[in-house]
C-alpha cells in the first residue's frame, strides 16, 4: 500500500477515534494505554534470569484484572517498531486518560518517543521490569523519564499493576477501597 494511502487511513482512523470518544457518555470507563517496546514479545523466553518467566500475555491479563478493579479500560499493545509506538502515542492523545509505557530499549535511545509523549496532556508512567540502575551504564539514562509522572523499575512484571494503580489515582478513577 502506498504511503499516501496509509496516511489517509491513519487520518480516517484518527477521526473515527475522536468521533467515538465524543459519543461516549460520562459513565464510560477511562481508557489507559499500556504500551510495550521492542523485544517484550519475548518476555518469559528472553533472559528469564533478568525479566522473569511471565509472558506478555500474563502481563496483559494482570493489567486487565487490575484495571477492571479500578474502573479502567485498557488498550494493551506491543511493538518492535519505533514508528508504531509513536503512532499509538498519537492515537492515545485523542482517546486515553493516561499511558503506562515500558519503552524497553527505546528508553535509552529515542528522542522521537520523548517528543511524542511530550504532546500528551495526561499522566504518563514509565515501567521497567528490571532495575535499570543495576544494569549496564547505558541503561541508566531514560529520555522518557523527562515527561513521566513517575518511574517504576525493578519490581518485575508487578510494576505494571503498580503503575495502573498509581495512574488510577492520578486520573481520579474510582478507588477500590471505597
Amino acid at each position: 500500500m502506498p504511503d499516501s494511502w496509509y496516511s489517509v487511513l491513519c487520518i480516517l482512523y484518527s477521526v473515527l477515534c475522536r468521533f467515538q470518544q465524543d459519543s461516549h457518555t460520562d459513565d464510560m470507563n477511562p481508557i489507559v494505554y499500556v504500551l510495550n517496546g521492542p523485544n517484550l514479545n519475548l518476555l518469559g523466553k528472553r533472559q528469564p534470569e533478568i525479566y522473569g518467566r511471565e509472558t506478555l500475555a500474563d502481563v496483559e491479563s494482570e493489567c486487565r484484572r487490575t484495571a477492571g478493579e479500578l474502573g479502567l479500560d485498557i488498550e494493551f499493545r506491543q511493538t518492535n517498531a519505533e514508528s508504531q509506538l509513536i503512532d499509538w502515542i498519537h492515537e492515545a492523545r485523542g482517546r486515553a486518560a493516561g499511558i503506562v509505557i515500558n519503552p524497553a530499549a527505546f528508553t535509552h535511545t529515542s528522542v522521537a518517543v520523548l517528543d511524542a509523549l511530550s504532546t500528551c496532556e495526561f499522566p504518563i508512567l514509565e515501567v521497567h521490569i528490571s532495575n535499570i540502575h543495576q544494569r549496564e551504564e547505558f541503561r541508566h539514562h531514560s529520555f522518557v523519564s523527562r515527561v513521566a509522572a513517575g518511574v517504576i523499575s525493578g519490581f518485575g512484571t508487578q510494576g505494571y499493576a503498580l503503575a495502573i494503580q498509581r495512574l488510577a489515582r492520578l486520573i481520579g478513577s474510582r478507588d477500590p477501597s471505597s
Side-chain angles (χ1 to χ4, degrees):
M1 177 181 310
D3 286 342
S4 60
W5 282 108
Y6 179 74
S7 297
V8 169
L9 288 174
C10 287
I11 291 168
L12 288 173
Y13 181 74
S14 176
V15 168
L16 177 64
C17 287
R18 288 185 193 280
F19 174 77
Q20 189 176 22
Q21 180 188 25
D22 291 343
S23 67
H24 287 179
T25 60
D26 288 339
D27 62 344
M28 296 294 291
N29 290 339
I31 298 172
V32 172
Y33 274 51
V34 180
L35 302 178
N36 294 279
N39 298 313
L40 287 166
N41 56 307
L42 300 176
L43 197 57
K45 298 175 189 149
R46 176 179 170 251
Q47 297 178 290
E49 68 281 3
I50 294 174
Y51 301 110
R53 300 221 177 270
E54 295 90 358
T55 66
L56 196 59
D58 296 332
V59 173
E60 180 175 3
S61 178
E62 181 62 17
C63 286
R64 290 192 184 285
R65 185 193 65 72
T66 301
E69 291 173 357
L70 297 167
L72 300 170
D73 288 334
I74 293 285
E75 286 285 341
F76 191 95
R77 301 179 183 176
Q78 186 279 328
T79 184
N80 293 320
E82 183 180 38
S83 62
Q84 180 63 71
L85 188 59
I86 291 166
D87 286 344
W88 289 338
I89 294 166
H90 292 172
E91 177 186 312
R93 292 179 63 224
R95 295 191 65 217
I99 290 178
V100 171
I101 185 168
N102 182 343
F106 295 143
T107 304
H108 324 291
T109 63
S110 183
V111 173
V113 170
L114 166 65
D115 287 348
L117 289 168
S118 295
T119 68
C120 297
E121 296 179 358
F122 47 64
I124 298 161
L125 291 175
E126 179 180 357
V127 172
H128 298 285
I129 296 168
S130 67
N131 183 345
I132 61 175
H133 300 288
Q134 288 184 337
R135 300 196 53 206
E136 303 92 338
E137 186 70 29
F138 73 88
R139 294 186 193 275
H140 298 184
H141 177 264
S142 168
F143 284 103
V144 173
S145 292
R146 294 183 62 88
V147 294
V151 179
I152 298 173
S153 175
F155 288 90
T157 58
Q158 183 185 8
Y160 286 87
L162 295 170
I164 291 168
Q165 290 169 357
R166 178 63 183 143
L167 196 58
R169 287 223 172 186
L170 291 173
I171 64 176
S173 181
R174 74 172 181 244
D175 185 344
S177 63
S178 60

